[in-house]
mmCIF file of all heavy atoms in Angstrom:
data_model
loop_
_atom_site.group_PDB
_atom_site.id
_atom_site.type_symbol
_atom_site.label_atom_id
_atom_site.label_comp_id
_atom_site.label_asym_id
_atom_site.label_seq_id
_atom_site.Cartn_x
_atom_site.Cartn_y
_atom_site.Cartn_z
ATOM 1 N N PHE A 22 117.622 114.305 82.060
ATOM 2 C CA PHE A 22 117.387 113.973 83.578
ATOM 3 C C PHE A 22 116.082 114.625 84.015
ATOM 4 O O PHE A 22 115.822 115.858 83.683
ATOM 5 C CB PHE A 22 118.546 114.410 84.383
ATOM 6 C CG PHE A 22 118.223 114.435 85.880
ATOM 7 C CD1 PHE A 22 118.133 113.213 86.585
ATOM 8 C CD2 PHE A 22 118.047 115.625 86.525
ATOM 9 C CE1 PHE A 22 117.874 113.251 87.899
ATOM 10 C CE2 PHE A 22 117.802 115.601 87.930
ATOM 11 C CZ PHE A 22 117.683 114.441 88.609
ATOM 12 N N VAL A 23 115.249 113.922 84.731
ATOM 13 C CA VAL A 23 114.074 114.466 85.283
ATOM 14 C C VAL A 23 114.086 114.493 86.798
ATOM 15 O O VAL A 23 113.939 115.562 87.462
ATOM 16 C CB VAL A 23 112.750 113.660 84.812
ATOM 17 C CG1 VAL A 23 111.509 114.140 85.572
ATOM 18 C CG2 VAL A 23 112.631 113.707 83.342
ATOM 19 N N ALA A 24 114.406 113.350 87.457
ATOM 20 C CA ALA A 24 114.318 113.215 88.912
ATOM 21 C C ALA A 24 115.175 112.034 89.335
ATOM 22 O O ALA A 24 115.333 111.070 88.690
ATOM 23 C CB ALA A 24 112.894 113.121 89.452
ATOM 24 N N ALA A 25 115.658 112.117 90.583
ATOM 25 C CA ALA A 25 116.453 111.033 91.194
ATOM 26 C C ALA A 25 116.055 110.865 92.633
ATOM 27 O O ALA A 25 115.686 111.885 93.235
ATOM 28 C CB ALA A 25 117.943 111.314 91.055
ATOM 29 N N ILE A 26 116.241 109.642 93.153
ATOM 30 C CA ILE A 26 115.943 109.358 94.506
ATOM 31 C C ILE A 26 117.034 108.417 95.079
ATOM 32 O O ILE A 26 117.519 107.557 94.343
ATOM 33 C CB ILE A 26 114.517 108.821 94.621
ATOM 34 C CG1 ILE A 26 114.147 108.682 96.157
ATOM 35 C CG2 ILE A 26 114.431 107.381 93.967
ATOM 36 C CD1 ILE A 26 112.568 108.522 96.305
ATOM 37 N N SER A 27 117.284 108.593 96.322
ATOM 38 C CA SER A 27 118.386 107.858 96.934
ATOM 39 C C SER A 27 117.779 106.385 97.306
ATOM 40 O O SER A 27 116.645 106.163 97.304
ATOM 41 C CB SER A 27 118.950 108.549 98.144
ATOM 42 O OG SER A 27 117.954 108.689 99.133
ATOM 43 N N THR A 28 118.719 105.663 97.886
ATOM 44 C CA THR A 28 118.302 104.186 98.188
ATOM 45 C C THR A 28 117.094 104.153 99.177
ATOM 46 O O THR A 28 116.230 103.315 99.022
ATOM 47 C CB THR A 28 119.480 103.437 98.693
ATOM 48 O OG1 THR A 28 120.063 104.187 99.757
ATOM 49 C CG2 THR A 28 120.500 103.176 97.581
ATOM 50 N N SER A 29 117.154 105.009 100.163
ATOM 51 C CA SER A 29 116.087 104.899 101.177
ATOM 52 C C SER A 29 114.922 105.767 100.857
ATOM 53 O O SER A 29 113.852 105.634 101.399
ATOM 54 C CB SER A 29 116.658 105.376 102.470
ATOM 55 O OG SER A 29 116.860 106.783 102.556
ATOM 56 N N GLY A 30 115.094 106.698 99.884
ATOM 57 C CA GLY A 30 114.049 107.678 99.572
ATOM 58 C C GLY A 30 114.241 108.948 100.314
ATOM 59 O O GLY A 30 113.418 109.860 100.092
ATOM 60 N N GLY A 31 115.243 109.030 101.149
ATOM 61 C CA GLY A 31 115.375 110.190 101.999
ATOM 62 C C GLY A 31 115.903 111.399 101.268
ATOM 63 O O GLY A 31 115.783 112.535 101.789
ATOM 64 N N ARG A 32 116.481 111.199 100.119
ATOM 65 C CA ARG A 32 116.969 112.357 99.348
ATOM 66 C C ARG A 32 116.483 112.262 97.961
ATOM 67 O O ARG A 32 116.373 111.178 97.339
ATOM 68 C CB ARG A 32 118.522 112.275 99.250
ATOM 69 C CG ARG A 32 119.250 112.460 100.661
ATOM 70 C CD ARG A 32 120.770 112.437 100.425
ATOM 71 N NE ARG A 32 121.165 113.685 99.733
ATOM 72 C CZ ARG A 32 122.179 113.728 98.814
ATOM 73 N NH1 ARG A 32 122.862 112.664 98.622
ATOM 74 N NH2 ARG A 32 122.520 114.888 98.384
ATOM 75 N N THR A 33 116.146 113.459 97.411
ATOM 76 C CA THR A 33 115.640 113.540 96.035
ATOM 77 C C THR A 33 116.283 114.729 95.223
ATOM 78 O O THR A 33 116.818 115.637 95.959
ATOM 79 C CB THR A 33 114.081 113.701 96.004
ATOM 80 O OG1 THR A 33 113.748 114.879 96.773
ATOM 81 C CG2 THR A 33 113.431 112.419 96.544
ATOM 82 N N ALA A 34 116.241 114.612 94.013
ATOM 83 C CA ALA A 34 116.749 115.742 93.170
ATOM 84 C C ALA A 34 115.874 115.835 91.925
ATOM 85 O O ALA A 34 115.364 114.858 91.468
ATOM 86 C CB ALA A 34 118.226 115.495 92.724
ATOM 87 N N TYR A 35 115.760 117.086 91.395
ATOM 88 C CA TYR A 35 114.915 117.313 90.310
ATOM 89 C C TYR A 35 115.585 118.218 89.286
ATOM 90 O O TYR A 35 116.300 119.136 89.666
ATOM 91 C CB TYR A 35 113.579 117.959 90.647
ATOM 92 C CG TYR A 35 112.753 117.146 91.627
ATOM 93 C CD1 TYR A 35 112.917 117.164 93.015
ATOM 94 C CD2 TYR A 35 111.853 116.127 91.138
ATOM 95 C CE1 TYR A 35 112.183 116.408 93.916
ATOM 96 C CE2 TYR A 35 111.044 115.390 91.996
ATOM 97 C CZ TYR A 35 111.301 115.466 93.374
ATOM 98 O OH TYR A 35 110.510 114.679 94.227
ATOM 99 N N ALA A 36 115.192 118.066 87.993
ATOM 100 C CA ALA A 36 115.522 119.051 87.011
ATOM 101 C C ALA A 36 114.829 120.396 87.353
ATOM 102 O O ALA A 36 113.677 120.360 87.914
ATOM 103 C CB ALA A 36 115.153 118.557 85.684
ATOM 104 N N ASP A 37 115.466 121.534 87.087
ATOM 105 C CA ASP A 37 114.815 122.783 87.390
ATOM 106 C C ASP A 37 113.470 122.941 86.717
ATOM 107 O O ASP A 37 112.567 123.548 87.356
ATOM 108 C CB ASP A 37 115.751 123.929 86.865
ATOM 109 C CG ASP A 37 117.012 124.061 87.777
ATOM 110 O OD1 ASP A 37 116.997 123.499 88.906
ATOM 111 O OD2 ASP A 37 117.950 124.724 87.286
ATOM 112 N N SER A 38 113.295 122.407 85.574
ATOM 113 C CA SER A 38 111.995 122.558 84.792
ATOM 114 C C SER A 38 110.815 121.819 85.458
ATOM 115 O O SER A 38 109.750 122.144 85.146
ATOM 116 C CB SER A 38 112.176 122.098 83.422
ATOM 117 O OG SER A 38 112.547 120.700 83.418
ATOM 118 N N VAL A 39 111.106 120.876 86.373
ATOM 119 C CA VAL A 39 109.999 120.146 87.004
ATOM 120 C C VAL A 39 109.818 120.383 88.404
ATOM 121 O O VAL A 39 108.920 119.761 89.073
ATOM 122 C CB VAL A 39 110.112 118.603 86.663
ATOM 123 C CG1 VAL A 39 110.311 118.349 85.186
ATOM 124 C CG2 VAL A 39 111.240 117.927 87.494
ATOM 125 N N LYS A 40 110.749 121.122 89.022
ATOM 126 C CA LYS A 40 110.667 121.409 90.470
ATOM 127 C C LYS A 40 109.300 121.979 90.779
ATOM 128 O O LYS A 40 108.882 122.882 90.228
ATOM 129 C CB LYS A 40 111.868 122.306 90.925
ATOM 130 C CG LYS A 40 113.128 121.583 91.077
ATOM 131 C CD LYS A 40 114.257 122.529 91.473
ATOM 132 C CE LYS A 40 115.551 121.891 91.517
ATOM 133 N NZ LYS A 40 116.608 122.845 91.930
ATOM 134 N N GLY A 41 108.723 121.447 91.899
ATOM 135 C CA GLY A 41 107.492 121.984 92.440
ATOM 136 C C GLY A 41 106.253 121.302 91.697
ATOM 137 O O GLY A 41 105.151 121.474 92.196
ATOM 138 N N ARG A 42 106.472 120.612 90.615
ATOM 139 C CA ARG A 42 105.332 119.995 89.870
ATOM 140 C C ARG A 42 105.471 118.450 89.841
ATOM 141 O O ARG A 42 104.447 117.788 89.840
ATOM 142 C CB ARG A 42 105.317 120.465 88.386
ATOM 143 C CG ARG A 42 105.142 121.985 88.299
ATOM 144 C CD ARG A 42 104.959 122.350 86.835
ATOM 145 N NE ARG A 42 106.130 122.070 86.088
ATOM 146 C CZ ARG A 42 106.183 121.215 85.040
ATOM 147 N NH1 ARG A 42 105.133 120.575 84.702
ATOM 148 N NH2 ARG A 42 107.282 121.024 84.371
ATOM 149 N N PHE A 43 106.739 117.822 89.871
ATOM 150 C CA PHE A 43 106.980 116.508 89.872
ATOM 151 C C PHE A 43 107.430 116.018 91.185
ATOM 152 O O PHE A 43 108.192 116.758 91.819
ATOM 153 C CB PHE A 43 107.929 116.103 88.790
ATOM 154 C CG PHE A 43 107.509 116.171 87.298
ATOM 155 C CD1 PHE A 43 106.360 116.886 87.037
ATOM 156 C CD2 PHE A 43 108.185 115.613 86.375
ATOM 157 C CE1 PHE A 43 105.978 117.086 85.690
ATOM 158 C CE2 PHE A 43 107.907 115.670 85.051
ATOM 159 C CZ PHE A 43 106.699 116.444 84.724
ATOM 160 N N THR A 44 107.033 114.822 91.557
ATOM 161 C CA THR A 44 107.495 114.166 92.782
ATOM 162 C C THR A 44 107.949 112.813 92.551
ATOM 163 O O THR A 44 107.132 111.919 92.030
ATOM 164 C CB THR A 44 106.430 114.245 93.893
ATOM 165 O OG1 THR A 44 105.939 115.564 94.101
ATOM 166 C CG2 THR A 44 106.921 113.669 95.190
ATOM 167 N N ILE A 45 109.207 112.433 92.915
ATOM 168 C CA ILE A 45 109.683 111.080 92.806
ATOM 169 C C ILE A 45 109.549 110.453 94.186
ATOM 170 O O ILE A 45 109.844 111.052 95.234
ATOM 171 C CB ILE A 45 111.108 111.002 92.263
ATOM 172 C CG1 ILE A 45 111.559 109.580 92.037
ATOM 173 C CG2 ILE A 45 112.079 111.720 93.189
ATOM 174 C CD1 ILE A 45 112.925 109.476 91.264
ATOM 175 N N SER A 46 109.234 109.159 94.229
ATOM 176 C CA SER A 46 109.162 108.441 95.475
ATOM 177 C C SER A 46 109.401 106.947 95.196
ATOM 178 O O SER A 46 109.425 106.560 94.055
ATOM 179 C CB SER A 46 107.777 108.652 96.130
ATOM 180 O OG SER A 46 106.703 108.050 95.257
ATOM 181 N N ARG A 47 109.597 106.180 96.243
ATOM 182 C CA ARG A 47 109.878 104.779 96.033
ATOM 183 C C ARG A 47 109.278 104.028 97.217
ATOM 184 O O ARG A 47 109.120 104.498 98.273
ATOM 185 C CB ARG A 47 111.454 104.492 95.937
ATOM 186 C CG ARG A 47 112.204 104.833 97.162
ATOM 187 C CD ARG A 47 113.643 104.751 96.894
ATOM 188 N NE ARG A 47 114.029 103.339 96.539
ATOM 189 C CZ ARG A 47 115.302 103.069 95.915
ATOM 190 N NH1 ARG A 47 116.064 104.040 95.567
ATOM 191 N NH2 ARG A 47 115.561 101.836 95.649
ATOM 192 N N ASP A 48 108.951 102.754 96.955
ATOM 193 C CA ASP A 48 108.446 101.777 97.954
ATOM 194 C C ASP A 48 109.421 100.620 97.866
ATOM 195 O O ASP A 48 109.230 99.741 96.982
ATOM 196 C CB ASP A 48 107.126 101.368 97.739
ATOM 197 C CG ASP A 48 106.422 100.586 98.789
ATOM 198 O OD1 ASP A 48 107.156 99.944 99.531
ATOM 199 O OD2 ASP A 48 105.184 100.514 98.932
ATOM 200 N N ASN A 49 110.317 100.522 98.782
ATOM 201 C CA ASN A 49 111.285 99.357 98.768
ATOM 202 C C ASN A 49 110.700 97.999 99.045
ATOM 203 O O ASN A 49 111.227 97.051 98.585
ATOM 204 C CB ASN A 49 112.504 99.710 99.634
ATOM 205 C CG ASN A 49 113.489 100.740 99.162
ATOM 206 O OD1 ASN A 49 113.328 101.065 97.917
ATOM 207 N ND2 ASN A 49 114.316 101.246 99.987
ATOM 208 N N ALA A 50 109.573 98.023 99.693
ATOM 209 C CA ALA A 50 108.885 96.723 99.967
ATOM 210 C C ALA A 50 108.251 96.219 98.660
ATOM 211 O O ALA A 50 108.031 95.019 98.523
ATOM 212 C CB ALA A 50 107.907 96.991 101.043
ATOM 213 N N LYS A 51 107.917 97.144 97.748
ATOM 214 C CA LYS A 51 107.308 96.727 96.576
ATOM 215 C C LYS A 51 108.275 96.785 95.318
ATOM 216 O O LYS A 51 107.807 96.497 94.149
ATOM 217 C CB LYS A 51 106.069 97.632 96.183
ATOM 218 C CG LYS A 51 104.934 97.482 97.245
ATOM 219 C CD LYS A 51 103.707 98.315 96.857
ATOM 220 C CE LYS A 51 102.623 98.142 97.889
ATOM 221 N NZ LYS A 51 101.451 98.983 97.544
ATOM 222 N N ASN A 52 109.537 97.081 95.574
ATOM 223 C CA ASN A 52 110.557 97.266 94.411
ATOM 224 C C ASN A 52 110.031 98.110 93.331
ATOM 225 O O ASN A 52 110.171 97.841 92.149
ATOM 226 C CB ASN A 52 110.765 95.820 93.870
ATOM 227 C CG ASN A 52 111.712 94.982 94.786
ATOM 228 O OD1 ASN A 52 112.014 95.388 95.912
ATOM 229 N ND2 ASN A 52 112.153 93.922 94.234
ATOM 230 N N THR A 53 109.498 99.294 93.728
ATOM 231 C CA THR A 53 108.810 100.179 92.827
ATOM 232 C C THR A 53 109.210 101.685 93.050
ATOM 233 O O THR A 53 109.289 102.034 94.212
ATOM 234 C CB THR A 53 107.284 100.090 92.866
ATOM 235 O OG1 THR A 53 106.942 98.650 92.535
ATOM 236 C CG2 THR A 53 106.638 100.948 91.735
ATOM 237 N N VAL A 54 109.451 102.386 91.999
ATOM 238 C CA VAL A 54 109.625 103.789 92.124
ATOM 239 C C VAL A 54 108.597 104.510 91.278
ATOM 240 O O VAL A 54 108.127 103.961 90.255
ATOM 241 C CB VAL A 54 111.115 104.097 91.540
ATOM 242 C CG1 VAL A 54 111.240 103.755 90.036
ATOM 243 C CG2 VAL A 54 111.388 105.606 91.776
ATOM 244 N N TYR A 55 108.198 105.637 91.710
ATOM 245 C CA TYR A 55 107.092 106.408 91.148
ATOM 246 C C TYR A 55 107.494 107.762 90.671
ATOM 247 O O TYR A 55 108.511 108.257 91.213
ATOM 248 C CB TYR A 55 105.950 106.505 92.115
ATOM 249 C CG TYR A 55 105.499 105.224 92.726
ATOM 250 C CD1 TYR A 55 105.903 104.791 93.983
ATOM 251 C CD2 TYR A 55 104.556 104.458 92.087
ATOM 252 C CE1 TYR A 55 105.529 103.606 94.529
ATOM 253 C CE2 TYR A 55 104.160 103.268 92.591
ATOM 254 C CZ TYR A 55 104.622 102.875 93.841
ATOM 255 O OH TYR A 55 104.129 101.684 94.385
ATOM 256 N N LEU A 56 106.786 108.280 89.731
ATOM 257 C CA LEU A 56 106.951 109.739 89.352
ATOM 258 C C LEU A 56 105.572 110.307 89.263
ATOM 259 O O LEU A 56 104.860 110.003 88.348
ATOM 260 C CB LEU A 56 107.695 109.775 88.026
ATOM 261 C CG LEU A 56 107.981 111.342 87.707
ATOM 262 C CD1 LEU A 56 109.024 111.942 88.697
ATOM 263 C CD2 LEU A 56 108.567 111.406 86.312
ATOM 264 N N GLN A 57 105.183 111.157 90.222
ATOM 265 C CA GLN A 57 104.010 111.905 90.140
ATOM 266 C C GLN A 57 104.258 113.146 89.412
ATOM 267 O O GLN A 57 104.982 113.981 89.809
ATOM 268 C CB GLN A 57 103.464 112.223 91.595
ATOM 269 C CG GLN A 57 102.202 113.023 91.679
ATOM 270 C CD GLN A 57 100.961 112.341 91.119
ATOM 271 O OE1 GLN A 57 100.793 111.137 91.383
ATOM 272 N NE2 GLN A 57 100.157 113.047 90.338
ATOM 273 N N MET A 58 103.461 113.368 88.338
ATOM 274 C CA MET A 58 103.630 114.515 87.474
ATOM 275 C C MET A 58 102.313 115.322 87.503
ATOM 276 O O MET A 58 101.307 114.891 86.989
ATOM 277 C CB MET A 58 103.952 114.028 86.007
ATOM 278 C CG MET A 58 105.198 113.126 85.922
ATOM 279 S SD MET A 58 105.623 112.773 84.242
ATOM 280 C CE MET A 58 104.193 111.817 83.708
#
């Protein structure tokens, strides 16, 4: 597991090893989820 995001994007969770360095986000209008590393 690396990262998770809720349906609206309002909640996120990360593995301890990536906290502070990785960011998960989503754009529901584009049906796309992102992982910034």
Side-chain angles (χ1 to χ4, degrees):
F22 168 74
V23 176
I26 190 165
S27 63
T28 52
S29 72
R32 298 182 68 213
T33 57
Y35 297 92
D37 287 344
S38 60
V39 307
K40 281 180 182 176
R42 299 186 297 115
F43 288 17
T44 304
I45 187 171
S46 61
R47 65 189 295 162
D48 185 337
N49 285 350
K51 295 183 178 179
N52 285 10
T53 302
V54 62
Y55 306 96
L56 185 68
Q57 176 67 41
M58 305 186 294

